[in-house]
Amino acid sequence: MVQFSVEQLPELLAVYYKRLFPYELYHRWLSYGQVNPNSFCNREMSFTLAGEVYIRYQSFDKIEDFEKELIKKIPEKIDIGAIYNVKPRQKRMASTFEVEEKELVFDIDMTDYDSVRTCCSDANVCSKCWKFMAIATRILDAALREDFGFNHILWVFSGRRGIHCWVCDEVARKLDSKVRSDVAEYLQLLTREDHTGKIAHLNSEKIHPSIRRALDIIEKDFESACVECQDILGTPSRMNSVLAMMEDGLRQEVETAWETTNTSLERWTVFKKIFNAQQASNKLKKRNKNLIDELMLHFSYPRLDINVTKGSNHLLKSPFCIHPKTGKVCIPFNPSAVSSFDPNAVPTISDLVEEIQQFDAKQGEAIKKGMKNYRKTSMYKSIQVFEEFLRKLEESWKSKYGGSVESMDF
Amino acid sequence: MDFKRTIRRSVIQPLYGDLEDLYPHNLQLYTTPPNFEISLRELEECTSQRLAILQTMEEVLNRGLKGDDWRQTVFSELRKQDLRNFRKLITSTSFSNDEELYAARKQDHISHFMLRLAYCDSEDKRRWFIARELELFKFKWHYLNQSERQQFLKINNFNYDVVQETEKLELSRNSLGMVQTSTEYYKVPFVTVSDLVRARKVYLSKGMAFIVSEDMSSVIASVYRSSLSKSLAFAARRIDDIAEDTRIFSLVKGAAKRERDVDYTPANNGKVDINNLDTLAKISFPLCMQQLHQRLRKEHHLKHFARLQYILFIKGIGVTLEDALRFWKSEFTKKMDPEKFDKSHAYNVRHSYGKVGKMANYSPQSCLKIINSNVGPSEAHGCPFKHQDQSTLKKNLLQNGLSSIDSQEVLDFVRRGHYQIACGIYFQKMHGVDKVIINHPNHYFDESQMVLNNKTIKSEIKEENATHPKKSAVKNDEQDVWGNDSGFDFNSFTEIN
């Protein structure tokens, strides 16, 4: 691996935009089979140039124009906005400027887990805290597919400490802002801290099937990912914060029993035993009836930034752009293999540039021709994830709109 | 080549036919615009009546009433007004003859379309109108009997599949018993019942929601909402067309002006000295703003929605932009470098004051908006009476000097979902006055200042030395809990008068 340094970013980006950015695939995605001929050209693109200069409401008629602009401006960051009724760059000339379509998007940021993760803080992410992201991905992916029936979901690592989810089904793209907000609230289970510091509240006896499914997903990993890896009961202060969530009767018994324990896992097991015994003998106060479930949700239910989901004109960082601080590529990943995804193994722009140079040096000019440059790099695996996503997406309108759609082969 | 402009104007044919066919039902979805001869006087009358109904509904809602309480209060408020036929119509009371009935349905139709014109030209107005019309719709639906509801569904083609027994068995298993085999269910796309989805009141599978017949009103309401929203957007683009007809146009403009929405127009621009903010927060801020103030002073940061809620409030009480900027900066830069502040936050403050960007002069947020906002983990905005858990709320009430009996009284209203009444009671206890209705944080502030000023005057006259208990509490707080490390001179505190 080559060390990435921020100073080299402009130079590296110039190579990246010229040789590596997957323009064709990108265009295939954002034109959505030309079912709506304006899908690509009425899309807002926004750039962040060096020195934090933002340019909003860019739009491009052809992918070639987009490519030229990237090579010319070398933006540090690219954001994708909504599809409007007119070309965003001409919005001043239009009498109305309204959002027509936008993917349903979700943003999960590791820093929102700072109150429960003990391995890192702020912008850092390690394989331990990635487990939170893995659980979040599984829960959200299941809800979107099973509850809402969405099929075309693109999961993207944001390049530093978060993940983005793009739901690209036609129904999802056409949701109005009211329904968007309702879907977001349905999925946003966590609330503001109560006086005990707990953010998950299951007040009723009957738990909604969607939450039950989330709990089943969490349960499989909770003891290893949270109790052990995060060592959530490992220090007196961590123990106290969990004890604070218990009513007196439960707390006293648990506190006493914990005196003879040494590890988080032991404490968790002891707590569960006491909890179940008290529940069986009907001793639990109403507020604690669902405490085990609530704690699992408190620690590991997805912490969504739902304002990103609610606003249909909200910008979200584009897949395949480079995170300007880490140099890592914002790459798609397969949600069913999320556990084995390692954020620290994601290639940086320096790696990629080095890789194509090495490849070029080894191979002759002849082979190089006609071969996509990204195939020569460690980015290729995530390109395949993206291609697979596109293949299924294209099937959906081929079956729906038949042959009337322009051929997507390039 | 022919350069003559061809004007193609579609002439809408008047709706002929029997009123019985045009208005088969008390409840309408207003899909076709009216096309009648009507006198201006009648037009004006029915428009203002409908507006009065919508405003009444909102007012009652702002008192914090919900469900049956809301409906009953609306009902009795409407009785007080001269809206006889309208009231009969929306409560499905029988008319003495068919002529009156159809006349009322016709006025309902026309007035709806008049208000569409009046409330189409800004996002805020559209939102207000849609919300009110949906309340009206649900209000009417409530008063329909079973057969009238069935009839309505039939007329408007709401044909949804009843879930078959075999499918129901499977659903019941998959939904862990949420779908009950003994009840009848309809299968509808989730987008049509997103209200129920939001509240997790329905079982969802593969994009379909399974609802019981009582929930059908949600389906219709959401269909109505989206068609109304589209129609309003359309009307907004064409509103200029009616500007030529001054008779109609002035009527429409007049109706829009009477909007008694939650808007608050600051009366005291530039009157509040920033140095008094800590004291004012103690004595005259509603709980929601007091907490934001404290949070900002303690943590030197507020998240987006909290910033917005608070900055618009202090703008409303009369803090100048310059002062607000200085205050914001002195707090934020305790944790953030000034350059970053200037780049992002200073802009936002100016934006809230309408000095940059869209240059819109945003009004301070109303209780309704604050109560309906969503508060996520570690966010501080919202209404404490609604969003705070009750033990934290109680602690805060006690801290502010309420007795435990008084705070119990407040909490009783909170438990029943009457947040604004709870806030009103809190005001009464804090100021030692009777009955106050709070529907805007800035009204709370103004009201509080008025009460306190009166008291000061009275006590000066009587030359009483016994200070009001709340005021003495203020003086103790002068050595404020934050310490005097801010860039402000909080010692320059003077008695507010």
Side-chain angles (χ1 to χ4, degrees):
Chain A
M1 269 204 190
V2 201
Q3 194 65 40
F4 165 76
S5 78
V6 177
E7 292 75 51
Q8 297 167 331
L9 188 63
E11 254 173 78
L12 293 166
L13 277 174
V15 180
Y16 181 79
Y17 289 136
K18 220 175 248 164
R19 299 192 57 186
L20 286 161
F21 192 92
Y23 294 101
E24 288 177 10
L25 300 176
Y26 198 73
H27 182 247
R28 264 167 70 193
W29 170 34
L30 293 180
S31 48
Y32 288 105
Q34 303 283 0
V35 174
N36 167 2
N38 297 326
S39 290
F40 187 78
C41 58
N42 286 10
R43 169 80 72 167
E44 179 190 354
M45 305 299 291
S46 131
F47 297 150
T48 310
L49 308 183
E52 292 194 41
V53 177
Y54 301 99
I55 333 178
R56 279 201 70 174
Y57 301 115
Q58 304 292 294
S59 63
F60 302 93
D61 293 345
K62 298 196 300 281
I63 188 68
E64 290 78 12
D65 299 345
F66 177 67
E67 181 172 356
K68 268 184 215 148
E69 195 71 359
L70 290 192
I71 292 170
K72 194 173 119 201
K73 290 227 167 81
I74 316 193
E76 287 191 343
K77 184 163 164 255
I78 306 163
D79 284 289
I80 301 181
I83 302 172
Y84 288 85
N85 60 330
V86 294
K87 292 173 182 171
R89 65 170 189 281
Q90 295 171 349
K91 76 181 184 100
R92 277 175 204 286
M93 279 132 74
S95 57
T96 56
F97 185 61
E98 284 159 0
V99 172
E100 286 198 335
E101 284 181 37
K102 167 71 190 290
E103 291 79 4
L104 179 68
V105 293
F106 296 91
D107 181 8
I108 309 177
D109 194 313
M110 200 70 235
T111 46
D112 286 325
Y113 288 75
D114 278 357
S115 62
V116 290
R117 65 172 174 160
T118 57
C119 48
C120 313
S121 62
D122 301 328
N124 301 314
V125 177
C126 70
S127 58
K128 278 184 182 174
C129 45
W130 183 258
K131 291 179 198 285
F132 282 122
M133 289 290 155
I135 292 176
T137 304
R138 276 197 287 266
I139 289 175
L140 198 56
D141 197 64
L144 291 168
R145 286 176 203 275
E146 292 169 28
D147 296 351
F148 293 99
F150 294 134
N151 294 309
H152 305 292
I153 306 173
L154 182 65
W155 286 92
V156 181
F157 169 60
S158 78
R160 182 154 71 168
R161 58 182 179 196
I163 47 181
H164 298 158
C165 167
W166 299 75
V167 186
C168 303
D169 294 64
E170 190 175 348
V171 174
R173 280 181 272 137
K174 292 185 174 164
L175 292 178
D176 66 27
S177 53
K178 163 84 174 64
V179 179
R180 249 168 237 272
S181 146
D182 290 338
V183 171
E185 292 291 339
Y186 172 83
L187 294 166
Q188 164 87 321
L189 183 62
L190 304 175
T191 58
R192 167 164 163 169
E193 295 92 349
D194 63 12
H195 67 292
T196 70
K198 187 156 58 66
I199 58 172
H201 301 96
L202 298 174
N203 295 325
S204 79
E205 300 278 307
K206 290 216 174 99
I207 293 176
H208 191 276
S210 172
I211 301 173
R212 181 50 63 199
R213 182 188 49 228
L215 282 164
D216 290 344
I217 292 171
I218 295 173
E219 207 165 5
K220 289 196 191 89
D221 283 342
F222 190 70
E223 292 187 356
S224 68
C226 283
V227 181
E228 290 190 310
C229 262
Q230 293 297 332
D231 203 16
I232 58 172
L233 300 170
T235 67
S237 79
R238 288 178 207 168
M239 287 192 278
N240 283 337
S241 67
V242 173
L243 284 169
M245 298 172 191
M246 301 178 196
E247 293 285 355
D248 289 349
L250 182 60
R251 187 177 58 236
Q252 281 152 10
E253 201 178 334
V254 172
E255 205 169 3
T256 321
W258 278 1
E259 279 167 12
T260 55
T261 54
N262 297 311
T263 66
S264 275
L265 189 57
E266 273 179 70
R267 287 176 193 131
W268 179 250
T269 316
V270 166
F271 158 68
K272 278 207 299 191
K273 220 164 124 191
I274 295 172
F275 179 90
N276 287 328
Q278 288 207 1
Q279 185 151 52
S281 56
N282 242 336
K283 275 202 273 180
L284 283 179
K285 287 258 176 61
K286 189 166 163 252
R287 237 169 45 84
N288 273 169
K289 281 249 152 64
N290 293 313
L291 189 60
I292 291 189
D293 289 343
E294 287 177 335
L295 282 171
M296 291 200 290
L297 296 169
H298 172 89
F299 281 103
S300 45
Y301 189 85
R303 300 187 169 201
L304 304 169
D305 179 355
I306 58 167
N307 297 318
V308 177
T309 309
K310 286 178 173 179
S312 45
N313 58 354
H314 217 294
L315 298 169
L316 191 64
K317 183 149 62 137
S318 164
F320 299 109
C321 84
I322 302 293
H323 195 290
K325 298 271 162 47
T326 62
K328 282 182 186 156
V329 193
C330 201
I331 49 168
F333 64 88
N334 181 352
S336 48
V338 61
S339 309
S340 53
F341 184 89
D342 178 1
N344 291 313
V346 171
T348 65
I349 187 170
S350 316
D351 297 331
L352 298 179
V353 170
E354 171 84 10
E355 279 162 14
I356 43 166
Q357 278 162 0
Q358 279 179 6
F359 190 92
D360 290 355
K362 261 191 258 162
Q363 310 290 331
E365 279 292 310
I367 310 169
K368 208 173 78 185
K369 280 227 170 79
M371 181 171 176
K372 297 274 178 248
N373 279 307
Y374 50 68
R375 288 183 151 242
K376 305 164 187 169
T377 70
S378 47
M379 189 172 127
Y380 186 44
K381 220 174 109 191
S382 56
I383 293 272
Q384 285 175 314
V385 173
F386 192 49
E387 281 174 334
E388 178 62 14
F389 158 80
L390 284 177
R391 195 181 57 74
K392 289 191 183 142
L393 186 65
E394 283 162 4
E395 267 171 20
S396 75
W397 58 71
K398 274 177 191 149
S399 59
K400 187 167 174 187
Y401 299 98
S404 68
V405 178
E406 182 192 88
S407 164
M408 294 315 302
D409 299 327
F410 284 87
Chain B
M1 246 179 142
D2 185 10
F3 284 103
K4 244 194 287 171
R5 200 171 146 226
T6 46
I7 300 167
R8 223 182 297 157
R9 202 173 266 171
S10 63
V11 177
I12 304 167
Q13 292 302 317
L15 290 169
Y16 291 116
D18 294 333
L19 287 171
E20 277 170 66
D21 298 334
L22 291 174
Y23 302 118
H25 205 281
N26 269 350
L27 191 55
Q28 309 182 37
L29 289 179
Y30 315 102
T31 42
T32 345
N35 195 357
F36 297 108
E37 279 196 12
I38 184 169
S39 74
L40 273 172
R41 208 177 67 91
E42 194 185 347
L43 194 62
E44 190 173 352
E45 218 171 77
C46 69
T47 308
S48 74
Q49 287 189 355
R50 186 183 204 88
L51 190 59
I53 291 174
L54 299 187
Q55 286 172 339
T56 305
M57 296 191 148
E58 186 194 23
E59 258 174 37
V60 177
L61 196 71
N62 281 347
R63 288 185 219 163
L65 298 177
K66 282 195 215 162
D68 279 342
D69 289 348
W70 173 74
R71 240 179 331 261
Q72 274 157 24
T73 317
V74 169
F75 188 82
S76 61
E77 288 289 325
L78 292 182
R79 283 181 87 114
K80 290 180 202 158
Q81 303 176 37
D82 182 28
L83 305 160
R84 219 166 62 93
N85 284 353
F86 243 123
R87 202 191 72 235
K88 276 187 178 173
L89 183 80
I90 67 176
T91 53
S92 272
T93 315
S94 54
F95 284 82
S96 47
N97 58 53
D98 277 1
E99 202 180 322
E100 269 187 18
L101 169 71
Y102 289 114
R105 287 181 182 174
K106 184 176 152 187
Q107 290 187 341
D108 176 26
H109 185 207
I110 292 170
S111 61
H112 169 87
F113 275 92
M114 283 300 285
L115 290 187
R116 269 196 197 181
L117 296 177
Y119 287 86
C120 69
D121 65 348
S122 80
E123 180 61 33
D124 280 348
K125 283 185 189 164
R126 290 198 288 262
R127 204 181 303 128
W128 183 87
F129 182 62
I130 292 173
R132 300 292 87 75
E133 281 287 326
L134 278 156
E135 282 155 18
L136 178 58
F137 174 83
K138 288 191 173 170
F139 186 88
K140 284 174 170 175
W141 175 265
H142 177 83
Y143 286 98
L144 297 181
N145 63 31
Q146 201 52 39
S147 76
E148 286 170 326
R149 288 183 186 179
Q150 289 304 331
Q151 196 199 355
F152 174 83
L153 294 178
K154 213 174 128 205
I155 293 169
N156 292 287
N157 292 321
F158 284 100
N159 306 316
Y160 287 109
D161 297 341
V162 175
V163 178
Q164 300 301 310
E165 290 304 316
T166 45
E167 194 184 356
K168 210 151 68 176
L169 275 174
E170 198 192 322
L171 284 171
S172 172
R173 209 170 37 242
N174 292 344
S175 70
L176 312 168
M178 190 168 176
V179 169
Q180 292 165 353
T181 45
S182 53
T183 319
E184 192 165 80
Y185 284 89
Y186 296 89
K187 188 174 177 173
V188 301
F190 82 90
V191 285
T192 58
V193 284
S194 67
D195 280 339
L196 300 174
V197 170
R198 179 192 190 103
R200 295 191 203 93
K201 282 190 181 145
V202 280
Y203 174 61
L204 287 181
S205 175
K206 299 273 170 217
M208 300 306 276
F210 297 87
I211 61 164
V212 293
S213 63
E214 292 94 86
D215 287 335
M216 205 39 111
S217 69
S218 288
V219 179
I220 309 161
S222 93
V223 171
Y224 179 40
R225 173 196 293 275
S226 78
S227 84
L228 187 53
S229 152
K230 281 188 197 112
S231 311
L232 287 173
F234 177 77
R237 288 198 287 273
R238 304 292 299 274
I239 187 73
D240 292 342
D241 295 3
I242 64 155
E244 296 164 23
D245 191 330
T246 47
R247 301 165 309 164
I248 306 280
F249 197 61
S250 63
L251 217 149
V252 162
K253 285 288 142 195
K257 237 185 257 151
R258 268 179 290 162
E259 172 190 6
R260 272 181 291 163
D261 193 16
V262 283
D263 263 14
Y264 173 83
T265 332
N268 41 356
N269 244 339
K271 250 190 180 170
V272 164
D273 186 346
I274 189 81
N275 294 322
N276 292 338
L277 219 52
D278 274 2
T279 319
L280 287 172
K282 282 277 157 194
I283 60 169
S284 281
F285 278 20
L287 206 52
C288 52
M289 299 303 171
Q290 187 187 69
Q291 293 185 353
L292 290 179
H293 181 79
Q294 290 173 350
R295 175 96 154 211
L296 178 59
R297 296 277 278 136
K298 202 162 130 195
E299 296 184 8
H300 317 301
H301 192 80
L302 287 175
K303 291 199 167 190
H304 175 77
F305 290 100
R307 288 200 295 268
L308 202 62
Q309 183 177 322
Y310 190 49
I311 194 83
L312 291 175
F313 171 77
I314 62 170
K315 178 175 100 170
I317 67 172
V319 173
T320 62
L321 172 61
E322 292 68 32
D323 279 353
L325 264 175
R326 230 163 23 95
F327 174 46
W328 231 237
K329 189 166 183 173
S330 83
E331 286 302 330
F332 275 62
T333 51
K334 288 191 180 116
K335 272 179 128 178
M336 166 185 295
D337 66 85
E339 219 171 88
K340 189 174 174 204
F341 177 87
D342 288 339
K343 213 180 253 169
S344 44
H345 293 285
Y347 182 88
N348 287 333
V349 173
R350 290 197 187 93
H351 188 255
S352 301
Y353 271 77
K355 298 296 178 203
V356 285
K358 216 165 106 186
M359 313 284 265
N361 198 6
Y362 300 97
S363 337
Q365 296 179 353
S366 68
C367 287
L368 201 63
K369 188 169 166 89
I370 292 172
I371 287 173
N372 287 332
S373 61
N374 296 294
V375 182
S378 78
E379 287 184 310
H381 66 280
C383 167
F385 297 101
K386 175 170 181 194
H387 296 106
Q388 216 156 46
D389 78 288
Q390 291 187 12
S391 23
T392 314
L393 178 60
K394 189 172 176 185
K395 215 176 70 199
N396 291 333
L397 294 175
L398 295 174
Q399 228 162 44
N400 281 355
L402 258 62
S403 70
S404 65
I405 295 169
D406 288 349
S407 44
Q408 208 48 52
E409 194 183 337
V410 174
L411 287 170
D412 282 344
F413 282 99
V414 169
R415 245 169 249 132
R416 279 182 280 151
H418 299 174
Y419 312 114
Q420 283 170 295
I421 300 183
C423 186
I425 305 279
Y426 168 74
F427 183 95
Q428 293 169 24
K429 306 295 176 195
M430 289 294 285
H431 296 80
V433 292
D434 296 336
K435 215 155 173 65
V436 187
I437 291 171
I438 303 294
N439 53 25
H440 201 293
N442 289 79
H443 287 148
Y444 182 111
F445 177 82
D446 292 347
E447 199 76 22
S448 165
Q449 285 290 289
M450 217 167 70
V451 172
L452 294 176
N453 288 345
N454 283 341
K455 284 204 172 145
T456 324
I457 294 164
K458 272 184 203 158
S459 64
E460 273 168 10
I461 294 168
K462 288 183 189 168
E463 287 185 345
E464 264 178 15
N465 280 332
T467 40
H468 190 266
K470 267 59 196 188
K471 284 219 157 173
S472 61
V474 174
K475 295 220 165 153
N476 294 337
D477 281 325
E478 211 183 323
Q479 282 86 33
D480 61 42
V481 284
W482 343 99
N484 264 334
D485 57 349
S486 77
F488 291 100
D489 182 14
F490 281 94
N491 296 323
S492 70
F493 159 76
T494 45
E495 187 83 55
I496 297 129
N497 47 32

